[in-house]
Amino acid sequence: MKLWGGRFSGETDEEFARFNSSFAFDRRLIQADIQASRAHAEALAAVGVLKPHELERIDEALIAISRRARTEPDYMDGQSAEDVHSFVEAEMVAFIGDLGYKLHTGRSRNDQVATDLRIFLRDEIDSLLKAVKILQLSLVSLADANQSCVIPGYTHMQRAQPILFPHYLLAYYEMLRRDCGRLIDARGRVNRLPLGSGALAGSGFALDRAMLAERLGFDGVCENSVDAVSDRDFVIEFIGAASIVMVHLSRLAEDFIMYSTAEFAFIELSDAVSTGSSLMPQKKNPDSLELIRGKAGRVFGHHAAMLAVMKGLPLAYNKDMQEDKEALFDTIDTVTISLRVLATVLGNVKVNAARAREAAAVGYLNATDLADYLVRRGLEFRHAHDLVGRVVTYAIGKEKKLEELSPDEYRSFSELISEDVYDSLALESSLSAKSADGGTSPDRVREALIRAKLELAMA
Ligand code: ARG
């Protein structure tokens, strides 16, 4: 029986029915839908709408449907339901007869779908947080295994200053930490109960919404029934936070794509996450990372789509909002697999520390250290900067590194430079000089690694 047939005399156009149906994708909400329905049945019983034995039968039916959905892979295949809500109702009626029709008392699909979505999403956020943690763990293990590896740090894609590879990796650890914070924050706003709001005006029955919230693990209720059924800001916010995760993953992907080229050759990706070319036999392509980079665009698209769907929608519920599901589901799936694949990439990458160190030693990455040396000798930084600029130009002309210039050559630039300058120019001193909190000195990086490990162990 249709959920809304009574007022209609004409048939629904077949193509429109397919267009209108969300069951092909919202069937994914079935467990959340049943969980919410069981609580709703209890609330109805508490106000006397359902007798105790009716509640019991409805509950049994819901449990049976839940079990079938979990254990029979093709249970929901080929069903022509309008959506998951009508499917569950039809199944219930098939089980227990007309009693099943009582469950929709004091409820609308509008508060129902908002409730389902929030139950579903908060659990998905919890899973996503675990996937982020696993990626953080891979970053930390890779950092741990390469504690003394030095790479050139870049700005503007030009070699800038040497940094420890673990320091570089922990930069991503920090980004992911903030991502977790954003997801946890968003979860707090997701975890409010819409059920009991009816279609928009509130339930026609005095349901105990606080009890419903508690029973369903919500932190509280949505305070306004119109708002509860009509907003999807929690979906937009989640996809926004997920988009930022993808920004971070795509940047790491891009770095590693570059670092794995013959031009850089700092790392080699494992065969397990690379592909070959159908034409060029020598190729080993970083498809795993390229796809992660590409999938970021897909998630941003879902974010833009949800903003556009919601913009200018009159209150309260509108069917436009059915569009939220595919955007949300695909975001969850895409971010999850991206996190997992990236963790596999990191877990199997080979680091060519010798090559990376060599790159960090060529290209005047210690020029700033020379300027800092002069500052310690009393020269104003701006003048030191200018002087070192001239030294670098001179050295480029001579095709020498800074540490290859002679004491005489240095003296011709400044009396302030003496033989101990070579200590400052060494790669190791360049690193250890960056000892302020958050810097790349080996001590600071070791501490940062310990902090990260502790944090992950406590999470
Ligand atoms: N499938 C619908 C959705 O996803 C459920 C809510 C339908 N509500 C309605 N008034 N037609 O939004």
Side-chain angles (χ1 to χ4, degrees):
M1 189 171 158
K2 249 197 193 127
L3 299 186
W4 39 264
R7 186 227 180 279
F8 288 75
S9 46
E11 287 299 309
T12 309
D13 175 75
E14 213 177 284
E15 188 169 55
F16 165 63
R18 259 183 280 125
F19 184 62
N20 188 41
S21 170
S22 53
F23 187 55
F25 46 90
D26 70 9
R27 51 186 271 179
R28 194 161 163 177
L29 296 173
I30 192 162
Q31 297 299 345
D33 192 73
I34 291 173
Q35 212 180 314
S37 283
R38 292 183 63 195
H40 184 67
E42 266 181 45
L44 287 176
V47 293
V49 172
L50 295 177
K51 312 233 159 44
H53 71 274
E54 290 177 325
L55 171 63
E56 210 174 298
R57 295 213 63 204
I58 286 178
D59 209 37
E60 276 167 20
L62 288 171
I63 290 171
I65 297 165
S66 162
R67 189 178 317 117
R68 282 195 72 181
R70 216 184 338 263
T71 57
E72 292 175 37
D74 52 2
Y75 175 43
M76 290 182 275
D77 293 352
Q79 300 278 352
S80 62
E82 182 181 325
D83 53 30
V84 67
H85 323 293
S86 41
F87 174 78
V88 172
E89 182 175 291
E91 286 296 295
M92 207 168 29
V93 169
F95 246 104
I96 56 176
D98 277 2
L99 172 59
Y101 290 133
K102 282 198 175 184
L103 181 59
H104 210 56
T105 311
R107 164 177 97 166
S108 156
R109 278 183 296 167
N110 299 350
D111 57 349
Q112 192 178 357
V113 72
T115 303
D116 293 2
L117 212 52
R118 285 171 184 263
I119 291 176
F120 172 82
L121 180 54
R122 68 172 185 215
D123 293 347
E124 293 293 336
I125 290 177
D126 292 341
S127 308
L128 213 52
L129 283 167
K130 285 189 194 128
V132 175
K133 283 271 170 309
I134 290 172
L135 180 59
Q136 285 182 303
L137 275 171
S138 338
L139 282 166
V140 165
S141 326
L142 189 58
D144 211 25
N146 294 277
Q147 290 220 24
S148 57
C149 175
V150 186
I151 61 167
Y154 296 84
T155 64
H156 312 269
M157 249 347 270
Q158 306 288 319
R159 287 184 195 172
Q161 291 186 305
I163 54 176
L164 284 171
F165 186 48
H167 191 54
Y168 157 86
L169 291 171
L170 290 177
Y172 284 102
Y173 176 87
E174 291 295 321
M175 295 176 222
L176 293 173
R177 188 151 74 130
R178 289 193 297 280
D179 286 330
C180 289
R182 265 182 288 272
L183 288 169
I184 291 167
D185 255 28
R187 191 193 192 283
R189 278 178 287 277
V190 169
N191 205 29
R192 297 266 148 188
L193 177 81
L195 196 62
S197 298
L200 77 162
S203 176
F205 295 80
L207 304 179
D208 183 347
R209 295 189 66 212
M211 177 283 270
L212 274 172
E214 203 185 312
R215 163 84 161 68
L216 288 169
F218 284 92
D219 298 328
V221 302
C222 299
E223 299 287 350
N224 178 294
S225 63
V226 178
D227 173 48
V229 296
S230 65
D231 210 343
R232 293 292 182 269
D233 57 353
F234 67 94
V235 174
I236 300 175
E237 183 179 4
F238 166 75
I239 303 180
S243 296
I244 301 178
V245 174
M246 292 307 292
V247 170
H248 294 150
L249 303 197
S250 74
R251 294 186 75 177
L252 179 52
E254 168 63 8
D255 280 345
F256 271 40
I257 289 168
M258 282 191 302
Y259 294 168
S260 69
T261 59
E263 286 72 12
F264 284 80
F266 300 165
I267 57 172
E268 193 189 330
L269 299 185
S270 143
D271 286 358
V273 290
S274 307
T275 61
S277 158
S278 60
L279 188 146
M280 301 163 282
Q282 87 285 8
K283 289 296 293 288
K284 180 169 168 186
N285 295 327
D287 292 29
S288 48
L289 295 170
E290 290 169 315
L291 278 168
I292 290 167
R293 194 175 56 186
K295 301 274 185 203
R298 179 184 175 117
V299 173
F300 305 164
H302 293 319
H303 191 231
M306 277 314 296
L307 288 167
V309 165
M310 296 309 293
K311 176 191 174 299
L313 272 192
L315 293 189
Y317 178 84
N318 300 270
K319 193 62 171 264
D320 313 44
M321 284 152 63
Q322 179 162 288
E323 291 295 311
D324 59 4
K325 286 165 208 65
E326 287 156 294
L328 178 64
F329 297 161
D330 190 69
T331 297
I332 291 166
D333 295 343
T334 303
V335 178
T336 303
I337 184 92
S338 301
L339 286 164
R340 291 173 59 93
V341 169
L342 191 51
T344 306
V345 171
L346 294 182
N348 295 284
V349 74
K350 248 207 318 258
V351 179
N352 187 346
R355 165 83 194 199
R357 189 187 172 88
E358 198 182 292
V362 178
Y364 306 98
L365 288 85
N366 50 359
T368 312
D369 300 294
L370 179 55
D372 289 350
Y373 170 88
L374 285 162
V375 167
R376 287 192 189 99
R377 292 289 167 117
L379 194 60
E380 299 79 11
F381 179 74
R382 194 51 55 213
H383 289 143
H385 186 287
D386 186 65
L387 190 151
V388 176
R390 282 182 280 116
V391 175
V392 169
T393 308
Y394 172 84
I396 290 172
K398 295 273 174 200
E399 292 184 26
K400 284 182 175 177
K401 297 179 180 176
L402 290 181
E403 52 274 38
E404 287 166 358
L405 297 177
S406 72
D408 282 345
E409 285 175 304
Y410 271 121
R411 259 193 298 280
S412 74
F413 283 96
S414 168
E415 285 303 321
L416 292 172
I417 306 179
S418 47
E419 305 253 344
D420 61 357
V421 71
Y422 299 102
D423 297 336
S424 300
L425 293 174
L427 193 50
E428 257 58 41
S429 355
S430 174
L431 291 171
S432 58
K434 311 302 181 309
S435 61
D437 284 344
T440 195
S441 83
D443 286 348
R444 292 295 90 80
V445 174
R446 211 172 300 117
E447 289 161 12
L449 244 179
I450 292 171
R451 250 197 327 271
K453 282 189 213 165
L454 271 176
E455 211 170 72
L456 288 172
M458 286 187 317

